[in-house]
Amino acid sequence: MDDVSKVTAGSLDVHPTEKALVVHYEVEASILGESGGHMLGERKEGQKIIRVKSLSPSTDVGALAKKVVEECKLIPPSRLPQVEQLLYYLQNRKSSPVEGKEKRTVKPRELTPFEGMELNEEASITRVDEYVELLYEGIPEKIRGSALILQLARNPDNLEELLHNEAALGALARVLREDWKQSVELATIIIYIFFCFSSFSQFHGVVSHYKIGALCMSVVEHELKRHDVWREELRKKNKSAPENGSLRRDQDKAMRKYQGLLAKQEQLLRVSLYLLLNLAEDTRTELKMRNKNIVGLLVKVLDRDDEELLVLVVSFLKKLSIFLENKNDMAEVDTVERLARLVPCDHEDLLNLTLRLLLNLSFDSGLRGKMVEVGLLPKLTAMLGDESNRQVAMRILYHISIDDRFKGMFVYTDCIPQLMRMLYEHGEEEIEAELISICINLAANKRNAQLMCEGNGLKMLMKRALKMKDCLLMKMIRNISQHDGLTKPLFLDYVGDLAAEIRAEEEEEWVLECLGTLANLTIADLDWELVLKEYNLVPYLKDRLKPGSAEDDLILEVVIMIGTVSMDDACAAMLAKSGIIPALIELLNAQQEDDEFVCQIVYVFYQMVFHQATRDVIIKDTQAPAYLIDLMHDKNAEIRKVCDNTLDIIAEYDEEWGRKIQSEKFRFHNNQWLEMVESRQADDSEPYLYDNDNDRTDLFYSAGTRRTLEHTLHELNPPLTLEFRSY
């Protein structure tokens, strides 16, 4: 019987990220019988990557294509034009800067030879068994044998053959398990060999089989403890008097020794952690690492100064931080405090990764507080001027700006002037979401709002918002308008522009923001009557009070707007004559379970009872007082407060309603005492004070509950029939 192998070339393509061609092929292995007939067969697909690192804009693509076809036996000469076309595409392909940053991967630096392990020979895959024999000798021979195997492992084409050499892998795993504490160099080299396997997902099984991940966790933990011991010894030596010459020499010698040990240790840590990072692709493996305190170990390494090691550690932490449990672990070990020193730094990759890790952590309120506490706010603000890191920094600042505790702290940074300048520079282009979102949040703080309005700030914002009909920008303006003090009078110049936008033809979202801005303008000098008449706003406001006529948010803003303009005597009278009060009562019935609606409608009644003309309409022509009495004991404190103030005014001007209000208050305040008396009587099994207690049940009701509509109206005004809120 004979073995026959047949290789068939498949498709050609370019590598997605590297300057390389990818050749797909299929190997068909057959076993032929004695008669030459086909007995057994197996097919296997594979791919070969042809890297063309020398490809540059000045490269002769035609000549390079011929060279590729000549050297790669998998590509037939007939496909030369296709190879040339793919190389031409690679030559002209441009990677986008943002994409590059997103997809940038962290790779360990090339291992530098340690003292006593420099090799002048070149390893050969055919001599692997010889190298394995060296692993059974002393430490120097083990270092030489493993270093030669490492040479082979760093070529991906050799990994599959090494994978099938169980004797070699078993010997390497055994040596690592037994001798890693004896030689940092040996441990580094062997872990690097397994790291080469871990770079490919299909080889993770062999790394796990030999329990290399668990060994690496032990190595990292042990090395960090050794580092603590070294530092303590160094500290003790540095305590000695520097005047003594021999002691000074000892200190210098100790420092050089420490730095040499540190360099070797950081090589070992880097390779070990990168191997663990590769294995953490499997979430089950990652969970095992978490149970062995991987987060605590990584955070401890953040104190190091080696930038390549820090890049790796921050990358690992960033990957872990997407899970809640890992994020909570990071919160317990001062991660933010240790990351703060890395912002800013000269290493571009390290800075970018640190900011992205902070972004993941900033979703946690407590960690946002830590970021502010350790002084990251001004540092992040400075990042707004860095084009490559601006977007990530802005997202972190946005998360910080969500919290009311920290809004005021932005005043002490250069953040707001920078944000305003960025808004101005956008011109008529669409404003990026992160920028406008942080501006909206910060505008909710009074001092921030004043900074935004400095110079021609408000003018620029209004001009752009009205021209572009930008709802988010108008939302920012609306937040600015809510603050009393220096900012509100600045809006007098724009009342007409805003009122002109309150039309049924406009988009509801846009009208909502314009109306909300107007409703905030409680300015004494503003002639609201003139505004309502000139822009014919009363019909629009009345029409929008009908339940279901628009989204609830818009209807609520209409109610708030009515409350604002009702502060003006003439406006209140105009609104009362238009029939808005019955419309408000109807809306109150429809929205009786929404505390915000109820509170704002009651506030409108409160404003209207101040004016003689509208007070009479409220008291004599509507059932608003009956509603207010029913709401007097509402569960919401704000509603109770506004109701009490309104009813006090009504009672002062109308004796009949005053008696009813007084009676209701008496009922409520005495109800608790009566309940207490009855409960005591029931506990003591004493006879009731009244023979027929059931006749008294209609005189009071339990605190915190609302009587039915019919009951309330029957006692207050028998002929009326209205609907009340009820529980």
PDB file of all heavy atoms in Angstrom, residues 303-336:
ATOM      1  N   ASP A 303       2.321  49.612  39.682  1.00  0.00           N
ATOM      2  CA  ASP A 303       3.321  50.470  40.331  1.00  0.00           C
ATOM      3  C   ASP A 303       4.654  50.461  39.590  1.00  0.00           C
ATOM      4  O   ASP A 303       5.541  51.250  39.902  1.00  0.00           O
ATOM      5  CB  ASP A 303       3.548  50.015  41.781  1.00  0.00           C
ATOM      6  CG  ASP A 303       2.334  50.285  42.650  1.00  0.00           C
ATOM      7  OD1 ASP A 303       1.585  51.236  42.329  1.00  0.00           O
ATOM      8  OD2 ASP A 303       2.119  49.552  43.636  1.00  0.00           O
ATOM      9  N   ARG A 304       4.829  49.541  38.613  1.00  0.00           N
ATOM     10  CA  ARG A 304       6.098  49.434  37.891  1.00  0.00           C
ATOM     11  C   ARG A 304       6.264  50.600  36.914  1.00  0.00           C
ATOM     12  O   ARG A 304       5.298  51.300  36.581  1.00  0.00           O
ATOM     13  CB  ARG A 304       6.160  48.116  37.111  1.00  0.00           C
ATOM     14  CG  ARG A 304       5.991  46.862  37.958  1.00  0.00           C
ATOM     15  CD  ARG A 304       7.127  46.709  38.948  1.00  0.00           C
ATOM     16  NE  ARG A 304       7.017  45.489  39.721  1.00  0.00           N
ATOM     17  CZ  ARG A 304       7.735  44.383  39.503  1.00  0.00           C
ATOM     18  NH1 ARG A 304       8.622  44.343  38.532  1.00  0.00           N
ATOM     19  NH2 ARG A 304       7.582  43.326  40.279  1.00  0.00           N
ATOM     20  N   ASP A 305       7.490  50.751  36.407  1.00  0.00           N
ATOM     21  CA  ASP A 305       7.791  51.838  35.478  1.00  0.00           C
ATOM     22  C   ASP A 305       8.002  51.361  34.039  1.00  0.00           C
ATOM     23  O   ASP A 305       8.049  52.178  33.130  1.00  0.00           O
ATOM     24  CB  ASP A 305       9.052  52.590  35.935  1.00  0.00           C
ATOM     25  CG  ASP A 305       8.824  53.292  37.270  1.00  0.00           C
ATOM     26  OD1 ASP A 305       7.709  53.827  37.468  1.00  0.00           O
ATOM     27  OD2 ASP A 305       9.744  53.294  38.112  1.00  0.00           O
ATOM     28  N   ASP A 306       8.145  50.052  33.839  1.00  0.00           N
ATOM     29  CA  ASP A 306       8.378  49.534  32.494  1.00  0.00           C
ATOM     30  C   ASP A 306       7.122  49.729  31.638  1.00  0.00           C
ATOM     31  O   ASP A 306       6.066  49.155  31.909  1.00  0.00           O
ATOM     32  CB  ASP A 306       8.731  48.048  32.568  1.00  0.00           C
ATOM     33  CG  ASP A 306       9.089  47.488  31.201  1.00  0.00           C
ATOM     34  OD1 ASP A 306       8.165  47.167  30.440  1.00  0.00           O
ATOM     35  OD2 ASP A 306      10.296  47.383  30.885  1.00  0.00           O
ATOM     36  N   GLU A 307       7.229  50.553  30.612  1.00  0.00           N
ATOM     37  CA  GLU A 307       6.043  50.932  29.837  1.00  0.00           C
ATOM     38  C   GLU A 307       5.437  49.761  29.079  1.00  0.00           C
ATOM     39  O   GLU A 307       4.212  49.646  28.981  1.00  0.00           O
ATOM     40  CB  GLU A 307       6.396  52.078  28.876  1.00  0.00           C
ATOM     41  CG  GLU A 307       6.664  53.394  29.595  1.00  0.00           C
ATOM     42  CD  GLU A 307       7.033  54.517  28.661  1.00  0.00           C
ATOM     43  OE1 GLU A 307       7.561  54.217  27.571  1.00  0.00           O
ATOM     44  OE2 GLU A 307       6.799  55.683  29.017  1.00  0.00           O
ATOM     45  N   GLU A 308       6.285  48.869  28.544  1.00  0.00           N
ATOM     46  CA  GLU A 308       5.759  47.711  27.814  1.00  0.00           C
ATOM     47  C   GLU A 308       4.970  46.793  28.735  1.00  0.00           C
ATOM     48  O   GLU A 308       3.925  46.263  28.361  1.00  0.00           O
ATOM     49  CB  GLU A 308       6.911  46.941  27.152  1.00  0.00           C
ATOM     50  CG  GLU A 308       7.612  47.694  26.044  1.00  0.00           C
ATOM     51  CD  GLU A 308       6.678  48.025  24.890  1.00  0.00           C
ATOM     52  OE1 GLU A 308       5.781  47.221  24.604  1.00  0.00           O
ATOM     53  OE2 GLU A 308       6.845  49.092  24.283  1.00  0.00           O
ATOM     54  N   LEU A 309       5.472  46.619  29.950  1.00  0.00           N
ATOM     55  CA  LEU A 309       4.753  45.803  30.933  1.00  0.00           C
ATOM     56  C   LEU A 309       3.443  46.477  31.321  1.00  0.00           C
ATOM     57  O   LEU A 309       2.396  45.816  31.438  1.00  0.00           O
ATOM     58  CB  LEU A 309       5.636  45.590  32.167  1.00  0.00           C
ATOM     59  CG  LEU A 309       5.027  44.765  33.309  1.00  0.00           C
ATOM     60  CD1 LEU A 309       4.643  43.376  32.829  1.00  0.00           C
ATOM     61  CD2 LEU A 309       6.006  44.674  34.480  1.00  0.00           C
ATOM     62  N   LEU A 310       3.474  47.788  31.495  1.00  0.00           N
ATOM     63  CA  LEU A 310       2.258  48.520  31.852  1.00  0.00           C
ATOM     64  C   LEU A 310       1.209  48.451  30.743  1.00  0.00           C
ATOM     65  O   LEU A 310       0.011  48.332  31.010  1.00  0.00           O
ATOM     66  CB  LEU A 310       2.607  49.980  32.166  1.00  0.00           C
ATOM     67  CG  LEU A 310       3.360  50.221  33.485  1.00  0.00           C
ATOM     68  CD1 LEU A 310       3.828  51.668  33.566  1.00  0.00           C
ATOM     69  CD2 LEU A 310       2.482  49.882  34.676  1.00  0.00           C
ATOM     70  N   VAL A 311       1.649  48.534  29.488  1.00  0.00           N
ATOM     71  CA  VAL A 311       0.717  48.413  28.365  1.00  0.00           C
ATOM     72  C   VAL A 311      -0.028  47.088  28.446  1.00  0.00           C
ATOM     73  O   VAL A 311      -1.246  47.018  28.270  1.00  0.00           O
ATOM     74  CB  VAL A 311       1.475  48.528  27.015  1.00  0.00           C
ATOM     75  CG1 VAL A 311       0.619  48.027  25.862  1.00  0.00           C
ATOM     76  CG2 VAL A 311       1.877  49.975  26.755  1.00  0.00           C
ATOM     77  N   LEU A 312       0.704  46.033  28.724  1.00  0.00           N
ATOM     78  CA  LEU A 312       0.105  44.704  28.813  1.00  0.00           C
ATOM     79  C   LEU A 312      -0.864  44.608  29.987  1.00  0.00           C
ATOM     80  O   LEU A 312      -1.986  44.101  29.858  1.00  0.00           O
ATOM     81  CB  LEU A 312       1.219  43.665  28.954  1.00  0.00           C
ATOM     82  CG  LEU A 312       0.776  42.210  29.092  1.00  0.00           C
ATOM     83  CD1 LEU A 312      -0.043  41.778  27.899  1.00  0.00           C
ATOM     84  CD2 LEU A 312       1.984  41.311  29.273  1.00  0.00           C
ATOM     85  N   VAL A 313      -0.452  45.110  31.143  1.00  0.00           N
ATOM     86  CA  VAL A 313      -1.283  45.023  32.349  1.00  0.00           C
ATOM     87  C   VAL A 313      -2.571  45.820  32.180  1.00  0.00           C
ATOM     88  O   VAL A 313      -3.667  45.344  32.521  1.00  0.00           O
ATOM     89  CB  VAL A 313      -0.486  45.521  33.579  1.00  0.00           C
ATOM     90  CG1 VAL A 313      -1.400  45.671  34.784  1.00  0.00           C
ATOM     91  CG2 VAL A 313       0.645  44.559  33.890  1.00  0.00           C
ATOM     92  N   VAL A 314      -2.461  47.031  31.644  1.00  0.00           N
ATOM     93  CA  VAL A 314      -3.659  47.859  31.456  1.00  0.00           C
ATOM     94  C   VAL A 314      -4.592  47.215  30.423  1.00  0.00           C
ATOM     95  O   VAL A 314      -5.817  47.247  30.568  1.00  0.00           O
ATOM     96  CB  VAL A 314      -3.266  49.300  31.046  1.00  0.00           C
ATOM     97  CG1 VAL A 314      -4.508  50.129  30.737  1.00  0.00           C
ATOM     98  CG2 VAL A 314      -2.466  49.966  32.156  1.00  0.00           C
ATOM     99  N   SER A 315      -4.021  46.598  29.381  1.00  0.00           N
ATOM    100  CA  SER A 315      -4.840  45.884  28.392  1.00  0.00           C
ATOM    101  C   SER A 315      -5.618  44.750  29.053  1.00  0.00           C
ATOM    102  O   SER A 315      -6.806  44.548  28.782  1.00  0.00           O
ATOM    103  CB  SER A 315      -3.959  45.288  27.286  1.00  0.00           C
ATOM    104  OG  SER A 315      -3.314  46.289  26.563  1.00  0.00           O
ATOM    105  N   PHE A 316      -4.940  44.018  29.917  1.00  0.00           N
ATOM    106  CA  PHE A 316      -5.570  42.895  30.621  1.00  0.00           C
ATOM    107  C   PHE A 316      -6.693  43.409  31.521  1.00  0.00           C
ATOM    108  O   PHE A 316      -7.816  42.869  31.530  1.00  0.00           O
ATOM    109  CB  PHE A 316      -4.504  42.159  31.440  1.00  0.00           C
ATOM    110  CG  PHE A 316      -4.816  40.709  31.697  1.00  0.00           C
ATOM    111  CD1 PHE A 316      -3.794  39.805  31.963  1.00  0.00           C
ATOM    112  CD2 PHE A 316      -6.120  40.236  31.695  1.00  0.00           C
ATOM    113  CE1 PHE A 316      -4.059  38.466  32.200  1.00  0.00           C
ATOM    114  CE2 PHE A 316      -6.403  38.895  31.934  1.00  0.00           C
ATOM    115  CZ  PHE A 316      -5.370  38.008  32.189  1.00  0.00           C
ATOM    116  N   LEU A 317      -6.410  44.451  32.294  1.00  0.00           N
ATOM    117  CA  LEU A 317      -7.426  45.020  33.183  1.00  0.00           C
ATOM    118  C   LEU A 317      -8.619  45.551  32.394  1.00  0.00           C
ATOM    119  O   LEU A 317      -9.772  45.418  32.817  1.00  0.00           O
ATOM    120  CB  LEU A 317      -6.812  46.141  34.025  1.00  0.00           C
ATOM    121  CG  LEU A 317      -5.882  45.700  35.156  1.00  0.00           C
ATOM    122  CD1 LEU A 317      -5.150  46.897  35.740  1.00  0.00           C
ATOM    123  CD2 LEU A 317      -6.661  44.967  36.245  1.00  0.00           C
ATOM    124  N   LYS A 318      -8.344  46.143  31.243  1.00  0.00           N
ATOM    125  CA  LYS A 318      -9.422  46.660  30.396  1.00  0.00           C
ATOM    126  C   LYS A 318     -10.340  45.530  29.940  1.00  0.00           C
ATOM    127  O   LYS A 318     -11.561  45.657  29.942  1.00  0.00           O
ATOM    128  CB  LYS A 318      -8.830  47.390  29.193  1.00  0.00           C
ATOM    129  CG  LYS A 318      -9.844  47.891  28.186  1.00  0.00           C
ATOM    130  CD  LYS A 318      -9.166  48.700  27.106  1.00  0.00           C
ATOM    131  CE  LYS A 318     -10.060  48.895  25.895  1.00  0.00           C
ATOM    132  NZ  LYS A 318     -10.245  47.665  25.125  1.00  0.00           N
ATOM    133  N   LYS A 319      -9.726  44.410  29.565  1.00  0.00           N
ATOM    134  CA  LYS A 319     -10.527  43.251  29.147  1.00  0.00           C
ATOM    135  C   LYS A 319     -11.366  42.728  30.311  1.00  0.00           C
ATOM    136  O   LYS A 319     -12.551  42.405  30.162  1.00  0.00           O
ATOM    137  CB  LYS A 319      -9.610  42.141  28.623  1.00  0.00           C
ATOM    138  CG  LYS A 319     -10.370  40.907  28.153  1.00  0.00           C
ATOM    139  CD  LYS A 319      -9.441  39.764  27.827  1.00  0.00           C
ATOM    140  CE  LYS A 319     -10.222  38.572  27.296  1.00  0.00           C
ATOM    141  NZ  LYS A 319     -11.279  38.110  28.193  1.00  0.00           N
ATOM    142  N   LEU A 320     -10.761  42.654  31.491  1.00  0.00           N
ATOM    143  CA  LEU A 320     -11.470  42.134  32.662  1.00  0.00           C
ATOM    144  C   LEU A 320     -12.590  43.063  33.118  1.00  0.00           C
ATOM    145  O   LEU A 320     -13.606  42.622  33.649  1.00  0.00           O
ATOM    146  CB  LEU A 320     -10.480  41.930  33.819  1.00  0.00           C
ATOM    147  CG  LEU A 320      -9.407  40.853  33.632  1.00  0.00           C
ATOM    148  CD1 LEU A 320      -8.382  40.937  34.760  1.00  0.00           C
ATOM    149  CD2 LEU A 320     -10.018  39.467  33.586  1.00  0.00           C
ATOM    150  N   SER A 321     -12.409  44.367  32.909  1.00  0.00           N
ATOM    151  CA  SER A 321     -13.322  45.369  33.486  1.00  0.00           C
ATOM    152  C   SER A 321     -14.723  45.336  32.908  1.00  0.00           C
ATOM    153  O   SER A 321     -15.619  45.981  33.436  1.00  0.00           O
ATOM    154  CB  SER A 321     -12.736  46.775  33.307  1.00  0.00           C
ATOM    155  OG  SER A 321     -12.693  47.127  31.930  1.00  0.00           O
ATOM    156  N   ILE A 322     -14.933  44.591  31.828  1.00  0.00           N
ATOM    157  CA  ILE A 322     -16.285  44.563  31.248  1.00  0.00           C
ATOM    158  C   ILE A 322     -17.229  43.685  32.059  1.00  0.00           C
ATOM    159  O   ILE A 322     -18.439  43.714  31.844  1.00  0.00           O
ATOM    160  CB  ILE A 322     -16.266  44.095  29.775  1.00  0.00           C
ATOM    161  CG1 ILE A 322     -15.755  42.665  29.658  1.00  0.00           C
ATOM    162  CG2 ILE A 322     -15.440  45.045  28.925  1.00  0.00           C
ATOM    163  CD1 ILE A 322     -15.828  42.109  28.249  1.00  0.00           C
ATOM    164  N   PHE A 323     -16.689  42.928  33.015  1.00  0.00           N
ATOM    165  CA  PHE A 323     -17.530  42.098  33.876  1.00  0.00           C
ATOM    166  C   PHE A 323     -17.669  42.760  35.242  1.00  0.00           C
ATOM    167  O   PHE A 323     -16.693  43.237  35.820  1.00  0.00           O
ATOM    168  CB  PHE A 323     -16.942  40.691  34.027  1.00  0.00           C
ATOM    169  CG  PHE A 323     -16.992  39.876  32.758  1.00  0.00           C
ATOM    170  CD1 PHE A 323     -15.863  39.728  31.969  1.00  0.00           C
ATOM    171  CD2 PHE A 323     -18.171  39.293  32.334  1.00  0.00           C
ATOM    172  CE1 PHE A 323     -15.902  38.994  30.801  1.00  0.00           C
ATOM    173  CE2 PHE A 323     -18.224  38.559  31.164  1.00  0.00           C
ATOM    174  CZ  PHE A 323     -17.095  38.411  30.386  1.00  0.00           C
ATOM    175  N   LEU A 324     -18.890  42.760  35.755  1.00  0.00           N
ATOM    176  CA  LEU A 324     -19.208  43.460  36.994  1.00  0.00           C
ATOM    177  C   LEU A 324     -18.339  42.989  38.161  1.00  0.00           C
ATOM    178  O   LEU A 324     -17.828  43.804  38.932  1.00  0.00           O
ATOM    179  CB  LEU A 324     -20.691  43.248  37.326  1.00  0.00           C
ATOM    180  CG  LEU A 324     -21.196  43.866  38.628  1.00  0.00           C
ATOM    181  CD1 LEU A 324     -21.143  45.387  38.548  1.00  0.00           C
ATOM    182  CD2 LEU A 324     -22.617  43.403  38.936  1.00  0.00           C
ATOM    183  N   GLU A 325     -18.154  41.669  38.278  1.00  0.00           N
ATOM    184  CA  GLU A 325     -17.394  41.142  39.407  1.00  0.00           C
ATOM    185  C   GLU A 325     -15.950  41.646  39.375  1.00  0.00           C
ATOM    186  O   GLU A 325     -15.396  42.009  40.428  1.00  0.00           O
ATOM    187  CB  GLU A 325     -17.403  39.602  39.385  1.00  0.00           C
ATOM    188  CG  GLU A 325     -18.775  38.967  39.535  1.00  0.00           C
ATOM    189  CD  GLU A 325     -19.560  38.907  38.226  1.00  0.00           C
ATOM    190  OE1 GLU A 325     -19.013  39.351  37.182  1.00  0.00           O
ATOM    191  OE2 GLU A 325     -20.695  38.437  38.257  1.00  0.00           O
ATOM    192  N   ASN A 326     -15.368  41.665  38.191  1.00  0.00           N
ATOM    193  CA  ASN A 326     -13.988  42.157  38.075  1.00  0.00           C
ATOM    194  C   ASN A 326     -13.907  43.646  38.379  1.00  0.00           C
ATOM    195  O   ASN A 326     -12.955  44.118  39.015  1.00  0.00           O
ATOM    196  CB  ASN A 326     -13.453  41.889  36.670  1.00  0.00           C
ATOM    197  CG  ASN A 326     -13.341  40.408  36.365  1.00  0.00           C
ATOM    198  OD1 ASN A 326     -13.133  39.605  37.268  1.00  0.00           O
ATOM    199  ND2 ASN A 326     -13.483  40.043  35.110  1.00  0.00           N
ATOM    200  N   LYS A 327     -14.908  44.382  37.905  1.00  0.00           N
ATOM    201  CA  LYS A 327     -14.943  45.828  38.184  1.00  0.00           C
ATOM    202  C   LYS A 327     -15.023  46.079  39.685  1.00  0.00           C
ATOM    203  O   LYS A 327     -14.349  46.977  40.222  1.00  0.00           O
ATOM    204  CB  LYS A 327     -16.130  46.452  37.447  1.00  0.00           C
ATOM    205  CG  LYS A 327     -16.255  47.960  37.581  1.00  0.00           C
ATOM    206  CD  LYS A 327     -17.136  48.393  38.741  1.00  0.00           C
ATOM    207  CE  LYS A 327     -18.558  47.906  38.588  1.00  0.00           C
ATOM    208  NZ  LYS A 327     -19.380  48.288  39.766  1.00  0.00           N
ATOM    209  N   ASN A 328     -15.827  45.278  40.386  1.00  0.00           N
ATOM    210  CA  ASN A 328     -15.929  45.431  41.839  1.00  0.00           C
ATOM    211  C   ASN A 328     -14.608  45.099  42.526  1.00  0.00           C
ATOM    212  O   ASN A 328     -14.218  45.747  43.506  1.00  0.00           O
ATOM    213  CB  ASN A 328     -17.037  44.524  42.386  1.00  0.00           C
ATOM    214  CG  ASN A 328     -18.421  44.985  41.955  1.00  0.00           C
ATOM    215  OD1 ASN A 328     -18.606  46.141  41.577  1.00  0.00           O
ATOM    216  ND2 ASN A 328     -19.390  44.087  41.977  1.00  0.00           N
ATOM    217  N   ASP A 329     -13.904  44.082  42.002  1.00  0.00           N
ATOM    218  CA  ASP A 329     -12.580  43.754  42.551  1.00  0.00           C
ATOM    219  C   ASP A 329     -11.617  44.927  42.377  1.00  0.00           C
ATOM    220  O   ASP A 329     -10.821  45.243  43.265  1.00  0.00           O
ATOM    221  CB  ASP A 329     -12.009  42.517  41.846  1.00  0.00           C
ATOM    222  CG  ASP A 329     -12.741  41.237  42.228  1.00  0.00           C
ATOM    223  OD1 ASP A 329     -13.499  41.270  43.213  1.00  0.00           O
ATOM    224  OD2 ASP A 329     -12.554  40.221  41.535  1.00  0.00           O
ATOM    225  N   MET A 330     -11.695  45.585  41.217  1.00  0.00           N
ATOM    226  CA  MET A 330     -10.812  46.731  40.951  1.00  0.00           C
ATOM    227  C   MET A 330     -11.116  47.888  41.896  1.00  0.00           C
ATOM    228  O   MET A 330     -10.223  48.645  42.291  1.00  0.00           O
ATOM    229  CB  MET A 330     -10.959  47.181  39.499  1.00  0.00           C
ATOM    230  CG  MET A 330     -10.408  46.182  38.501  1.00  0.00           C
ATOM    231  SD  MET A 330     -10.634  46.712  36.791  1.00  0.00           S
ATOM    232  CE  MET A 330     -10.518  45.129  35.943  1.00  0.00           C
ATOM    233  N   ALA A 331     -12.389  48.031  42.252  1.00  0.00           N
ATOM    234  CA  ALA A 331     -12.775  49.126  43.153  1.00  0.00           C
ATOM    235  C   ALA A 331     -12.189  48.925  44.550  1.00  0.00           C
ATOM    236  O   ALA A 331     -11.963  49.891  45.288  1.00  0.00           O
ATOM    237  CB  ALA A 331     -14.296  49.222  43.233  1.00  0.00           C
ATOM    238  N   GLU A 332     -11.927  47.673  44.912  1.00  0.00           N
ATOM    239  CA  GLU A 332     -11.461  47.372  46.267  1.00  0.00           C
ATOM    240  C   GLU A 332      -9.949  47.513  46.425  1.00  0.00           C
ATOM    241  O   GLU A 332      -9.450  47.501  47.552  1.00  0.00           O
ATOM    242  CB  GLU A 332     -11.881  45.939  46.642  1.00  0.00           C
ATOM    243  CG  GLU A 332     -13.388  45.777  46.797  1.00  0.00           C
ATOM    244  CD  GLU A 332     -13.784  44.321  47.020  1.00  0.00           C
ATOM    245  OE1 GLU A 332     -12.853  43.485  47.143  1.00  0.00           O
ATOM    246  OE2 GLU A 332     -14.993  44.033  47.063  1.00  0.00           O
ATOM    247  N   VAL A 333      -9.214  47.599  45.307  1.00  0.00           N
ATOM    248  CA  VAL A 333      -7.745  47.591  45.409  1.00  0.00           C
ATOM    249  C   VAL A 333      -7.104  48.867  44.834  1.00  0.00           C
ATOM    250  O   VAL A 333      -6.002  48.832  44.303  1.00  0.00           O
ATOM    251  CB  VAL A 333      -7.148  46.341  44.720  1.00  0.00           C
ATOM    252  CG1 VAL A 333      -7.409  45.103  45.539  1.00  0.00           C
ATOM    253  CG2 VAL A 333      -7.692  46.171  43.304  1.00  0.00           C
ATOM    254  N   ASP A 334      -7.814  49.985  44.933  1.00  0.00           N
ATOM    255  CA  ASP A 334      -7.231  51.289  44.571  1.00  0.00           C
ATOM    256  C   ASP A 334      -6.723  51.347  43.130  1.00  0.00           C
ATOM    257  O   ASP A 334      -5.649  51.905  42.858  1.00  0.00           O
ATOM    258  CB  ASP A 334      -6.085  51.663  45.523  1.00  0.00           C
ATOM    259  CG  ASP A 334      -6.547  51.748  46.965  1.00  0.00           C
ATOM    260  OD1 ASP A 334      -7.732  52.076  47.166  1.00  0.00           O
ATOM    261  OD2 ASP A 334      -5.756  51.491  47.877  1.00  0.00           O
ATOM    262  N   THR A 335      -7.481  50.780  42.217  1.00  0.00           N
ATOM    263  CA  THR A 335      -7.056  50.779  40.807  1.00  0.00           C
ATOM    264  C   THR A 335      -6.986  52.188  40.251  1.00  0.00           C
ATOM    265  O   THR A 335      -6.014  52.556  39.570  1.00  0.00           O
ATOM    266  CB  THR A 335      -8.035  49.936  39.964  1.00  0.00           C
ATOM    267  OG1 THR A 335      -8.190  48.656  40.586  1.00  0.00           O
ATOM    268  CG2 THR A 335      -7.525  49.750  38.544  1.00  0.00           C
ATOM    269  N   VAL A 336      -8.014  52.997  40.518  1.00  0.00           N
ATOM    270  CA  VAL A 336      -8.066  54.353  39.955  1.00  0.00           C
ATOM    271  C   VAL A 336      -6.890  55.183  40.440  1.00  0.00           C
ATOM    272  O   VAL A 336      -6.276  55.930  39.655  1.00  0.00           O
ATOM    273  CB  VAL A 336      -9.412  55.026  40.316  1.00  0.00           C
ATOM    274  CG1 VAL A 336      -9.396  56.497  39.920  1.00  0.00           C
ATOM    275  CG2 VAL A 336     -10.568  54.311  39.625  1.00  0.00           C
TER     276      VAL A 336
END
